Amino acid sequence: MGCVIDVRRSGDRYRGGEAAAGIESFHAFSFGPHYDPDNLRFGAILACNEERLAPGAGFDEHPHSHTEIVTWVVEGELTHRDSTGRESLVRPGDVQHLSAAGGVRHVERNDGQAPLVFIQMWLAPLAPGGDPSYAVIHGIADSTPYEIPGAGALLHTRRLAPAERTALPDSPFVYVHVVRGEIRLGEERLTAGDSARITAETGVEAVAVGDASAELLVWEMAGE
């Protein structure tokens, strides 16, 4: 396995959603009708979707199974309900984790008055089946990793001031998604919506560039 930093640009993501229903989607991986056999997964990650919901818009009840679903709200407020009876509001700075396990149904809506933007990432579990579970970590601290043991993955959230740098994990698979701002990764500059798939690299740093702060989601994974 050679050392690789594969940068993917925001504008190259698959467009989806339903404009008439107030839903706009951007898919970084093969998804739904946008099938690409060369872009099915990276490490444990199966999907990284940016969802934009107008006030009153949402996804009606739908099923999931054998998937670890992690959601990061960029702006607005996400209303979540699922078939286990849980209901919650997820806001910027919160990490929401739904382990679909053997099967669960849920609803995701923007019941607020402002536009909602969130990043949702799907990870493949190490083993199928089990009972679904749900958790929200409100206001997770910067640099505090959130573990998804069922997928063998750690999520690191980083908020960088201008010129601040952060070391990326030395791991077989690292996935970086730029939520906001601009960073330099090696010789590449990445802006909001861009991502990087890093394979078998060590000593890699991300540096915030420009006059604004940057926000990153970084996945550390042992392998597929």
PDB file of all heavy atoms in Angstrom, residues 116-129:
ATOM      1  N   LEU A 116     -30.974  24.997   7.265  1.00  0.00           N
ATOM      2  CA  LEU A 116     -30.213  23.974   7.973  1.00  0.00           C
ATOM      3  C   LEU A 116     -29.178  23.376   7.024  1.00  0.00           C
ATOM      4  O   LEU A 116     -29.504  23.011   5.897  1.00  0.00           O
ATOM      5  CB  LEU A 116     -31.147  22.876   8.481  1.00  0.00           C
ATOM      6  CG  LEU A 116     -30.521  21.570   8.971  1.00  0.00           C
ATOM      7  CD1 LEU A 116     -29.666  21.797  10.206  1.00  0.00           C
ATOM      8  CD2 LEU A 116     -31.604  20.523   9.250  1.00  0.00           C
ATOM      9  N   VAL A 117     -27.944  23.281   7.486  1.00  0.00           N
ATOM     10  CA  VAL A 117     -26.880  22.608   6.738  1.00  0.00           C
ATOM     11  C   VAL A 117     -26.220  21.597   7.679  1.00  0.00           C
ATOM     12  O   VAL A 117     -25.851  21.943   8.799  1.00  0.00           O
ATOM     13  CB  VAL A 117     -25.811  23.607   6.222  1.00  0.00           C
ATOM     14  CG1 VAL A 117     -24.722  22.869   5.453  1.00  0.00           C
ATOM     15  CG2 VAL A 117     -26.444  24.692   5.370  1.00  0.00           C
ATOM     16  N   PHE A 118     -26.112  20.351   7.219  1.00  0.00           N
ATOM     17  CA  PHE A 118     -25.410  19.359   8.034  1.00  0.00           C
ATOM     18  C   PHE A 118     -24.627  18.405   7.148  1.00  0.00           C
ATOM     19  O   PHE A 118     -24.936  18.213   5.971  1.00  0.00           O
ATOM     20  CB  PHE A 118     -26.362  18.610   8.976  1.00  0.00           C
ATOM     21  CG  PHE A 118     -27.429  17.770   8.327  1.00  0.00           C
ATOM     22  CD1 PHE A 118     -27.213  16.428   8.033  1.00  0.00           C
ATOM     23  CD2 PHE A 118     -28.679  18.306   8.043  1.00  0.00           C
ATOM     24  CE1 PHE A 118     -28.208  15.649   7.457  1.00  0.00           C
ATOM     25  CE2 PHE A 118     -29.688  17.536   7.466  1.00  0.00           C
ATOM     26  CZ  PHE A 118     -29.455  16.200   7.168  1.00  0.00           C
ATOM     27  N   ILE A 119     -23.569  17.851   7.753  1.00  0.00           N
ATOM     28  CA  ILE A 119     -22.751  16.833   7.109  1.00  0.00           C
ATOM     29  C   ILE A 119     -23.108  15.501   7.747  1.00  0.00           C
ATOM     30  O   ILE A 119     -23.072  15.362   8.974  1.00  0.00           O
ATOM     31  CB  ILE A 119     -21.241  17.093   7.304  1.00  0.00           C
ATOM     32  CG1 ILE A 119     -20.868  18.525   6.913  1.00  0.00           C
ATOM     33  CG2 ILE A 119     -20.419  16.073   6.523  1.00  0.00           C
ATOM     34  CD1 ILE A 119     -21.106  18.870   5.473  1.00  0.00           C
ATOM     35  N   GLN A 120     -23.453  14.524   6.903  1.00  0.00           N
ATOM     36  CA  GLN A 120     -23.775  13.201   7.436  1.00  0.00           C
ATOM     37  C   GLN A 120     -22.855  12.161   6.803  1.00  0.00           C
ATOM     38  O   GLN A 120     -22.708  12.106   5.593  1.00  0.00           O
ATOM     39  CB  GLN A 120     -25.229  12.833   7.172  1.00  0.00           C
ATOM     40  CG  GLN A 120     -25.645  11.558   7.873  1.00  0.00           C
ATOM     41  CD  GLN A 120     -27.155  11.362   7.852  1.00  0.00           C
ATOM     42  OE1 GLN A 120     -27.662  10.702   6.968  1.00  0.00           O
ATOM     43  NE2 GLN A 120     -27.853  11.936   8.837  1.00  0.00           N
ATOM     44  N   MET A 121     -22.255  11.357   7.673  1.00  0.00           N
ATOM     45  CA  MET A 121     -21.284  10.365   7.236  1.00  0.00           C
ATOM     46  C   MET A 121     -21.751   8.974   7.636  1.00  0.00           C
ATOM     47  O   MET A 121     -22.187   8.766   8.765  1.00  0.00           O
ATOM     48  CB  MET A 121     -19.919  10.689   7.852  1.00  0.00           C
ATOM     49  CG  MET A 121     -19.387  12.044   7.388  1.00  0.00           C
ATOM     50  SD  MET A 121     -18.340  12.917   8.601  1.00  0.00           S
ATOM     51  CE  MET A 121     -19.552  13.415   9.824  1.00  0.00           C
ATOM     52  N   TRP A 122     -21.690   8.043   6.695  1.00  0.00           N
ATOM     53  CA  TRP A 122     -22.078   6.658   6.938  1.00  0.00           C
ATOM     54  C   TRP A 122     -20.824   5.794   6.952  1.00  0.00           C
ATOM     55  O   TRP A 122     -19.969   5.895   6.066  1.00  0.00           O
ATOM     56  CB  TRP A 122     -23.011   6.149   5.839  1.00  0.00           C
ATOM     57  CG  TRP A 122     -24.317   6.867   5.713  1.00  0.00           C
ATOM     58  CD1 TRP A 122     -24.725   7.982   6.382  1.00  0.00           C
ATOM     59  CD2 TRP A 122     -25.391   6.511   4.831  1.00  0.00           C
ATOM     60  NE1 TRP A 122     -25.984   8.346   5.986  1.00  0.00           N
ATOM     61  CE2 TRP A 122     -26.419   7.464   5.035  1.00  0.00           C
ATOM     62  CE3 TRP A 122     -25.577   5.495   3.911  1.00  0.00           C
ATOM     63  CZ2 TRP A 122     -27.616   7.425   4.334  1.00  0.00           C
ATOM     64  CZ3 TRP A 122     -26.775   5.446   3.198  1.00  0.00           C
ATOM     65  CH2 TRP A 122     -27.783   6.406   3.422  1.00  0.00           C
ATOM     66  N   LEU A 123     -20.735   4.923   7.966  1.00  0.00           N
ATOM     67  CA  LEU A 123     -19.593   4.018   8.088  1.00  0.00           C
ATOM     68  C   LEU A 123     -20.079   2.577   8.127  1.00  0.00           C
ATOM     69  O   LEU A 123     -21.140   2.278   8.689  1.00  0.00           O
ATOM     70  CB  LEU A 123     -18.788   4.321   9.355  1.00  0.00           C
ATOM     71  CG  LEU A 123     -17.938   5.585   9.348  1.00  0.00           C
ATOM     72  CD1 LEU A 123     -18.791   6.821   9.601  1.00  0.00           C
ATOM     73  CD2 LEU A 123     -16.837   5.497  10.398  1.00  0.00           C
ATOM     74  N   ALA A 124     -19.285   1.703   7.541  1.00  0.00           N
ATOM     75  CA  ALA A 124     -19.608   0.273   7.545  1.00  0.00           C
ATOM     76  C   ALA A 124     -19.239  -0.330   8.894  1.00  0.00           C
ATOM     77  O   ALA A 124     -18.141  -0.091   9.407  1.00  0.00           O
ATOM     78  CB  ALA A 124     -18.849  -0.431   6.435  1.00  0.00           C
ATOM     79  N   PRO A 125     -20.126  -1.115   9.479  1.00  0.00           N
ATOM     80  CA  PRO A 125     -19.801  -1.750  10.761  1.00  0.00           C
ATOM     81  C   PRO A 125     -18.822  -2.908  10.574  1.00  0.00           C
ATOM     82  O   PRO A 125     -18.735  -3.492   9.489  1.00  0.00           O
ATOM     83  CB  PRO A 125     -21.166  -2.250  11.251  1.00  0.00           C
ATOM     84  CG  PRO A 125     -21.932  -2.513   9.990  1.00  0.00           C
ATOM     85  CD  PRO A 125     -21.471  -1.464   9.005  1.00  0.00           C
ATOM     86  N   LEU A 126     -18.114  -3.245  11.636  1.00  0.00           N
ATOM     87  CA  LEU A 126     -17.211  -4.386  11.587  1.00  0.00           C
ATOM     88  C   LEU A 126     -17.978  -5.699  11.553  1.00  0.00           C
ATOM     89  O   LEU A 126     -17.490  -6.696  11.019  1.00  0.00           O
ATOM     90  CB  LEU A 126     -16.279  -4.355  12.809  1.00  0.00           C
ATOM     91  CG  LEU A 126     -15.339  -3.148  12.896  1.00  0.00           C
ATOM     92  CD1 LEU A 126     -14.588  -3.163  14.224  1.00  0.00           C
ATOM     93  CD2 LEU A 126     -14.378  -3.128  11.723  1.00  0.00           C
ATOM     94  N   ALA A 127     -19.186  -5.702  12.147  1.00  0.00           N
ATOM     95  CA  ALA A 127     -20.021  -6.903  12.165  1.00  0.00           C
ATOM     96  C   ALA A 127     -21.479  -6.483  12.010  1.00  0.00           C
ATOM     97  O   ALA A 127     -21.893  -5.465  12.566  1.00  0.00           O
ATOM     98  CB  ALA A 127     -19.824  -7.677  13.462  1.00  0.00           C
ATOM     99  N   PRO A 128     -22.273  -7.215  11.250  1.00  0.00           N
ATOM    100  CA  PRO A 128     -23.682  -6.851  11.061  1.00  0.00           C
ATOM    101  C   PRO A 128     -24.531  -7.219  12.274  1.00  0.00           C
ATOM    102  O   PRO A 128     -24.099  -7.924  13.180  1.00  0.00           O
ATOM    103  CB  PRO A 128     -24.085  -7.678   9.836  1.00  0.00           C
ATOM    104  CG  PRO A 128     -23.219  -8.905   9.932  1.00  0.00           C
ATOM    105  CD  PRO A 128     -21.907  -8.423  10.504  1.00  0.00           C
ATOM    106  N   GLY A 129     -25.787  -6.713  12.244  1.00  0.00           N
ATOM    107  CA  GLY A 129     -26.757  -7.099  13.264  1.00  0.00           C
ATOM    108  C   GLY A 129     -26.635  -6.304  14.548  1.00  0.00           C
ATOM    109  O   GLY A 129     -25.964  -5.273  14.607  1.00  0.00           O
TER     110      GLY A 129
END
